[in-house]
Amino acid sequence: MFNRKDFISDYEWKAFRDASENFSTPNIFVNLRTIKNHFIQLKDSFPYALIYYAVKANPGVPVLRMLDQLGSNFDIASRYELDKVLSLGISADRVSYGNTIKKAQDVKYFYEKGVRMFATDSKEDLKNIAKYAPGSKVYVRILVENSSTADWPLSRKFGCHPDMAYDLLVQARNSGLTPYGISFHVGSQQRDIGSWNDAIAKTKYLFQSLEDEEDIRLSMINMGGGFPAQYIQPTNDLSDYASEITRYLQDDFGESIPTIILEPGRSLVGDSGILTSEVVLISRKNNTALQRWVFLDAGKFNGFIETLDESIKYPVITDKDGQGREGEVIIAGPTCDSADILYEDEKYKLPVDLKSGDKLYWLTTGAYTSTYASVAFNGFPPIKTYFITDEGVMDQDGNPAVPNA
């Protein structure tokens, strides 16, 4: 159904096959070389920006160590992510607490660990920051319209109206905090580059009005993530995103572009991963059914949560591609839950001679796969992630991986 070479080179494919040969499925193999190349490309495309890796996308220790060595900063969503990052010797001044939904004791915990930059989008949260993280920099996340053009929209739950953002930044100043900037997120896997233009224009309005009316001079724009990975829908190249977004910033801010922060997750690590699943069963629902049901040992609760509403459409290949006819299938996971269906409306095609025990290789699965997996739904253990490094195959904690352990 898909041409593997459109997504992954022969060299990377061989590295994956050699590394994963003796490991039980389901599993995910992540190639650190791909992540390194993507980081360098992003840095070259936005030389004026600070990069804060969104740890939630893939918190594997090998990933964090490599990005640390490359000079990345880190966007943190919980105290558990913070503990992991700090345990690797990464200093707290390279960390941003980017989650706007947090307990008061977590604000205190981050502050005591040395974090001094906090996101917010509500009055109550801002009061907690003022009380438990005095003097810290705060940036307010605004709602972004038209994020429906993203494959995984993010704007409804997070952010506030620009009018409220204005009030929050005034409140921050009056509470002894440092009003630092504005943040937004145009949606994950955003294919409409124009979405950044609208968000930057709103940000410029807030910068100008706060300076004119309140003598508050903001100095940072956090543009979040949103840059794409290579799923089956076509996207523009990163260079196209960079040139257009840079133009938007120059149009609105001229030569006085503020400090720019990017929080990439999917665009850095998505393309690096291959999820290997095994066919458990193939069946039809009646004797004359044209579509086969293909049941896998991985599903919505173990690696494929982003197939909810068939939002993210992963490319998949098999060892039998190109050897014969293909037919439409419905693809589902192994659990006793009727919601555990990956693709039904999207017409995936797989070889007609596919059988139980055959493997399916899902490309572009380095982001938001293992981190979303359930702990033990139906007793299935969480899917394991392994990392292909120059020193060999490592596990999630950065230790040498043992096949079938």
Side-chain angles (χ1 to χ4, degrees), residues 148-225:
S148 59
T149 53
D151 291 349
W152 197 259
L154 294 169
S155 67
R156 288 184 63 244
K157 182 178 178 182
F158 304 101
C160 62
H161 189 278
D163 287 349
M164 176 173 279
Y166 182 105
D167 293 340
L168 290 175
L169 287 160
V170 173
Q171 179 183 336
R173 180 198 57 189
N174 295 342
S175 302
L177 296 166
T178 300
Y180 187 39
I182 299 293
S183 76
F184 59 80
H185 200 302
V186 297
S188 193
Q189 194 71 7
Q190 176 59 260
R191 285 172 282 119
D192 179 10
I193 304 178
S195 296
W196 277 269
N197 192 22
D198 297 338
I200 291 170
K202 287 183 178 179
T203 299
K204 170 61 178 177
Y205 167 78
L206 282 167
F207 268 64
Q208 194 66 56
S209 59
L210 282 163
E211 183 174 358
D212 292 345
E213 300 167 14
E214 297 290 343
D215 198 28
I216 292 175
R217 298 197 65 178
L218 303 178
S219 56
M220 185 274 287
I221 303 174
N222 183 328
M223 298 197 297

Side-chain angles (χ1 to χ4, degrees), residues 142-154:
I142 60 172
L143 288 166
V144 176
E145 297 174 358
N146 302 322
S147 66
S148 59
T149 53
D151 291 349
W152 197 259
L154 294 169

Side-chain angles (χ1 to χ4, degrees), residues 271-287:
D271 295 345
S272 70
I274 299 176
L275 189 156
T276 303
S277 61
E278 183 177 303
V279 177
V280 176
L281 179 71
I282 297 176
S283 71
R284 300 179 191 269
K285 295 303 181 183
N286 62 62
N287 291 332

